[in-house]
Amino acid sequence: MKNSALLIFATILFSNNINAQLKPVKYADGNQTLNGLSIKAAKKSSQNPGILLLPAWLGIDNASKGIAENLSKIGYHVFIADIYGEGNYPKNTSEAGKQAGFYKTNYEAYQKRINAALQELIKSGANADNIVVIGYCFGGTGVLEAARGHLNVKGVASFHGGLGKDSSRPATPITAKVLICHGADDPFVSKEEVAAFQQEMRDSKADWQMIYYADSVHSFTNPEAGSDNSKGAAYNPVAAKRSFEHLKLFLDEVLKK
């Protein structure tokens, strides 16, 4: 009897470990092959909440993988999107800037690529009506495009992301709740861009919040960003921890578990 109980426990533990591993997923947007990563929630829920994660401008990295794994542990299905696709992965920051710049300018293509990943998250088991999109740096810009493009998501959360859009684009109603986690000393997002974004949120009648983190610049959630704020991008462990806690509060509010 004791051996049977241990066997059952070991089977459950093994099953949970299998489910809570990042798995490669090949999908497509038109003729473009994409390579995302999927991880199931470590614990079952009848609501199957899902999180679509949009990585920074260099593409899927260790930081995004670590965040996906942590979110899986607390009960979320997660899919990390591949925005660029095979044959287009940047080799350095210069190439990343060009690639990201294309999608920032061609925002409809960005929205379409995000939606392709969203469908893969749903295929993986997430409830199509119980999803939040989160993003970092370039991905933080992407979550705002998901909101502006009226994708079927309950909320979006941006971490040290670009906030601007072309001023010629009209502000349309935004129904997804919006969380912005922003480095108070981020040199890549001007005061004018912040002001324009906040006005857009007001004009869009959005339910939004913006949290500033002291002594934080760009990439403050990424342990591989170094520690020198003078470079404009650096890791801040205090801000990283606080922003993840703020994300969890946001998810608890927006998603059903």
Side-chain angles (χ1 to χ4, degrees):
M1 188 68 167
K2 184 178 179 181
N3 289 339
S4 297
L6 288 173
L7 180 60
I8 292 171
F9 175 76
T11 301
I12 293 172
L13 182 62
F14 179 75
S15 176
N16 285 341
N17 287 337
I18 290 294
N19 288 335
Q21 291 180 344
L22 284 164
K23 298 178 180 178
V25 177
K26 191 176 288 290
Y27 63 114
D29 177 16
N31 295 324
Q32 177 63 61
T33 299
L34 303 165
N35 296 288
L37 289 173
S38 177
I39 186 167
K40 290 185 177 295
K43 52 186 178 182
K44 292 184 177 181
S45 163
S46 61
Q47 302 296 335
N48 289 324
I51 297 176
L52 177 61
L53 194 159
L54 308 182
W57 67 345
L58 284 170
I60 297 174
D61 54 13
N62 290 330
S64 58
K65 292 176 184 177
I67 292 163
E69 289 170 346
N70 286 333
L71 290 169
S72 165
K73 291 175 184 176
I74 58 175
Y76 299 98
H77 295 289
V78 187
F79 188 85
I80 309 177
D82 175 12
I83 299 301
Y84 303 136
E86 285 187 9
N88 301 307
Y89 300 127
K91 301 180 182 66
N92 49 53
T93 56
S94 177
E95 291 184 7
K98 291 178 182 178
Q99 289 278 23
F102 170 82
Y103 286 101
K104 288 178 181 178
T105 301
N106 297 276
Y107 64 90
E108 290 180 337
Y110 199 5
Q111 292 171 352
K112 187 170 181 283
R113 195 57 58 88
I114 294 167
N115 190 51
L118 181 62
Q119 301 313 308
E120 293 303 316
L121 172 61
I122 295 167
K123 289 178 185 178
S124 75
N127 182 340
D129 297 316
N130 198 28
I131 289 172
V132 160
V133 187
I134 69 174
Y136 299 79
C137 300
F138 169 54
T141 303
V143 305
L144 294 177
E145 289 304 339
R148 291 166 180 149
H150 306 108
L151 300 190
N152 182 31
V153 297
K154 295 300 183 184
V156 301
S158 172
F159 298 81
H160 41 82
L163 305 175
K165 68 176 180 63
D166 191 320
S167 59
S168 66
R169 292 171 62 187
T172 58
I174 288 177
T175 57
K177 295 181 187 296
V178 178
L179 169 65
I180 305 297
C181 295
H182 186 67
D185 301 324
D186 191 330
F188 299 119
V189 182
S190 68
K191 293 179 180 178
E192 292 77 15
E193 185 174 326
V194 170
F197 164 76
Q198 293 183 355
Q199 189 59 50
E200 177 195 359
M201 292 295 100
R202 296 184 182 97
D203 293 341
S204 299
K205 308 299 182 186
D207 180 348
W208 66 285
Q209 54 186 305
M210 186 167 183
I211 303 172
Y212 291 82
Y213 301 95
D215 194 34
S216 298
V217 290
H218 206 63
S219 300
F220 63 80
T221 64
N222 189 346
E224 297 180 354
S227 58
D228 186 353
N229 278 15
S230 69
K231 294 183 178 180
Y235 178 55
N236 183 314
V238 174
K241 181 180 178 180
R242 288 176 176 171
S243 64
F244 191 72
E245 291 302 314
H246 287 136
L247 173 63
K248 289 195 292 183
L249 287 172
F250 182 71
L251 296 175
D252 286 343
E253 175 189 338
V254 173
L255 296 180
K256 296 177 181 178
K257 289 187 75 176

